[in-house]
Amino acid sequence: SSPSLVSSPSLVSSPCTPFSSPQTPPSLSSSSSIVHLVPSMDLLVDNSSVPSNSSSPSSSLLSSISSFLPSPSSPSPSSSPSSLNDSSFSLHSDGCDYFNSSCLCHTEYQFYEWRERVLLGLLALPIIAFGLIANLTSVRIFTHRLMSSSSINWYLAVLSASDSLILLSSFFVLSLPRVGEFLTVWSFNYVSYSVTPYMYGMMMAAQTCSVWMTVGVSIHRYIGVCHPYKAPNLLPNQRVAYFITCIILFSCVFNMTRLFEVHVSNVCHRYNIDFELPSLAPTLMRLNGLYMKIFFGWAYTVVMFALPFTLLIVLNTMVLMAVRKSRRMHALCSTNDDLSKRAERKERQTSIMLIAVVILFLICNSLAFLVNIMENFGMESEFFKTLVMFSNFLVIINASCNICIYLLFSEKYRLLLHHYVLCECSTQADLLVNSVIAS
């Protein structure tokens, strides 16, 4: 359970037409590259509007940022392709740089690549819709009185809620502008670019919460399975509630600066589509080399990838080994106690379900980890941009599909879902709830 960002057309939303004399670009270190959003939301802006000089020390930073911003303008016919490479920071050698919000620099809308429109627009849209319904349903089920009696379901309820926020923000930041372009309904793009600065911060906080809630449920299950006699003292309900609250607060505080990384610099008329669209631009803080190096180069990599991935792999490997050992011991000790067998089977299914949630998380976020490493080492290319696109798509899938695991492994979840489908007021629904209590 990331999502980097500005909706796909350009950094300061668009390449420019001739405007003024060139400006001297601020110096940026090569280590100041941007880390991807969810976990890599770099696709928000089209890189074709950003200087592509690979020898420039700031090229990796700009290419990442540019994937955030919305539709920029394209260079005027008088601007040759080489003019885009004359400066490491200016979009053109004519003065339209990332800090220039003049509409003279944002005159044309730059279209997304067709594969982005298909993958992050047309294909992602139904997945997001399904995921939102599934996650909201999961929140209701895990907070039901029959499920909330187990504190481990508290983690799953918050995980479902944070996944819902990831999907909601992904819809506005990634899917809506691409669908708007496909349907030529430009008001979709207007709404997307207007809310992107806020949705970006919410997306990153929700992604952090989702990642660490997955770690939290793994720690909880490790203690319950590997140290069952210590679990009552280590995991009282009050301590679990405090731990979950700390994760939520940490996720918000850690991503507080995200709200100040991107802003709407202007609203300009795009002549090639005859529509006014906001221009998104990175703030000076987002382009600060020290901030990028410390926050994105180290803190983000450790907090969002290295540490949680290590904990998840180690803890769940130990849980899996304990479950297999327990299964062998019960096979050797034959007993006619059906109640004991049923309880042991439920515990084993719960452990396997949570391991499956972690495996899905690792599969869907491993590509984002790879993209993060590539960006930290300045390995940007067209292939890199393709990886970012698929990374964002996998994060959307991860946030949408946990319900499939719950349905596969949890009988109680299936019964409660049936209960809500039938409507809580029906007699048959009451019978289902009573059967869950009796079991």
Side-chain angles (χ1 to χ4, degrees):
S1 339
S2 95
S4 324
L5 225 146
V6 177
S7 241
S8 183
S10 80
L11 196 26
V12 179
S13 175
S14 75
C16 30
T17 53
F19 182 64
S20 62
S21 59
Q23 300 180 8
T24 304
S27 59
L28 293 172
S29 65
S30 59
S31 61
S32 61
S33 69
I34 267 196
V35 149
H36 308 106
L37 177 58
V38 175
S40 351
M41 292 264 172
D42 277 7
L43 288 180
L44 296 177
V45 189
D46 191 346
N47 286 343
S48 63
S49 68
V50 181
S52 57
N53 184 356
S54 59
S55 63
S56 162
S58 61
S59 60
S60 94
L61 167 64
L62 298 182
S63 66
S64 294
I65 293 183
S66 69
S67 43
F68 278 163
L69 307 178
S71 314
S73 2
S74 16
S76 65
S78 61
S79 300
S80 64
S82 62
S83 68
L84 293 175
N85 298 322
D86 290 340
S87 167
S88 64
F89 198 75
S90 297
L91 287 176
H92 290 271
S93 58
D94 52 27
C96 285
D97 63 17
Y98 292 108
F99 302 106
N100 196 330
S101 60
S102 170
C103 284
L104 292 175
C105 295
H106 307 284
T107 58
E108 296 184 11
Y109 175 85
Q110 192 161 25
F111 292 87
Y112 296 94
E113 294 182 5
W114 67 270
R115 57 185 181 177
E116 289 185 40
R117 292 196 298 269
V118 172
L119 191 66
L120 296 178
L122 301 182
L123 291 181
L125 189 59
I127 295 174
I128 290 174
F130 167 79
L132 284 171
I133 296 172
N135 285 320
L136 293 176
T137 301
S138 294
V139 170
R140 182 65 188 96
I141 289 176
F142 287 127
T143 54
H144 190 279
R145 67 184 186 278
L146 300 180
M147 297 289 269
S148 60
S149 58
S150 173
S151 58
I152 202 166
N153 290 326
W154 301 355
Y155 294 94
L156 299 180
V158 178
L159 176 62
S160 298
S162 60
D163 283 345
S164 297
L165 293 179
I166 291 173
L167 293 173
L168 181 65
S169 51
S170 295
F171 167 73
F172 282 102
V173 170
L174 294 177
S175 294
L176 188 61
R178 289 161 176 83
V179 171
E181 181 180 299
F182 182 82
L183 300 175
T184 64
V185 180
W186 303 112
S187 56
F188 288 0
N189 297 65
Y190 188 99
V191 171
S192 171
Y193 301 154
S194 298
V195 302
T196 285
Y198 314 103
M199 288 295 172
Y200 172 46
M202 183 178 75
M203 184 188 305
M204 293 307 303
Q207 177 71 3
T208 304
C209 183
S210 182
V211 168
W212 283 98
M213 210 54 63
T214 305
V215 174
V217 77
S218 297
I219 295 173
H220 190 113
R221 200 57 190 165
Y222 164 76
I223 295 174
V225 172
C226 299
H227 303 282
Y229 299 108
K230 297 180 180 179
N233 294 326
L234 293 176
L235 300 173
N237 287 348
Q238 186 176 3
R239 184 173 294 177
V240 173
Y242 178 76
F243 180 58
I244 291 175
T245 303
C246 287
I247 291 177
I248 296 173
L249 292 177
F250 168 77
S251 301
C252 295
V253 173
F254 181 72
N255 293 284
M256 189 70 70
T257 58
R258 303 283 190 173
L259 297 173
F260 308 101
E261 290 184 7
V262 181
H263 70 107
V264 175
S265 61
N266 207 340
V267 177
C268 301
H269 188 82
R270 313 306 166 111
Y271 292 97
N272 59 335
I273 60 172
D274 193 25
F275 201 88
E276 287 191 350
L277 290 176
S279 299
L280 287 171
T283 62
L284 288 173
M285 182 186 72
R286 177 70 183 245
L287 298 175
N288 182 274
L290 181 61
Y291 172 75
M292 298 303 303
K293 184 174 183 178
I294 293 176
F295 188 81
F296 286 103
W298 296 102
Y300 186 84
T301 302
V302 171
V303 170
M304 293 295 290
F305 293 107
L307 186 56
F309 272 56
T310 301
L311 288 173
L312 288 173
I313 292 172
V314 172
L315 292 174
N316 284 278
T317 299
M318 298 177 73
V319 169
L320 184 59
M321 292 172 62
V323 168
R324 294 181 63 183
K325 182 179 178 180
S326 173
R327 188 172 185 176
R328 287 196 300 267
M329 290 178 61
H330 280 81
L332 293 175
C333 304
S334 57
T335 175
N336 294 325
D337 188 352
D338 291 338
L339 185 62
S340 175
K341 286 183 177 179
R342 187 162 58 247
E344 191 273 336
R345 187 179 68 252
K346 285 184 177 180
E347 286 296 311
R348 187 169 62 247
Q349 285 182 330
T350 300
S351 297
I352 295 174
M353 180 186 75
L354 297 177
I355 291 173
V357 169
V358 171
I359 290 175
L360 177 64
F361 170 84
L362 292 174
I363 291 174
C364 291
N365 286 275
S366 292
L367 183 57
F369 194 6
L370 174 62
V371 166
N372 179 265
I373 294 173
M374 291 176 65
E375 188 171 30
N376 284 339
F377 284 94
M379 300 168 62
E380 285 87 357
S381 63
E382 280 302 312
F383 179 64
F384 170 82
K385 184 176 178 181
T386 300
L387 290 182
V388 170
M389 179 180 62
F390 280 102
S391 167
N392 288 330
F393 185 68
L394 286 175
V395 170
I396 292 173
I397 290 178
N398 182 215
S400 304
C401 294
N402 281 335
I403 189 174
C404 301
I405 297 175
Y406 304 147
L407 288 171
L408 183 62
F409 290 101
S410 176
E411 180 182 5
K412 187 180 291 187
Y413 187 97
R414 292 193 297 269
L415 288 172
L416 285 174
L417 179 62
H418 194 191
H419 163 66
Y420 287 118
V421 169
L422 290 176
C423 177
E424 290 185 82
C425 58
S426 71
T427 303
Q428 189 175 359
D430 292 334
L431 292 176
L432 281 171
V433 174
N434 291 333
S435 70
V436 172
I437 296 176
S439 63

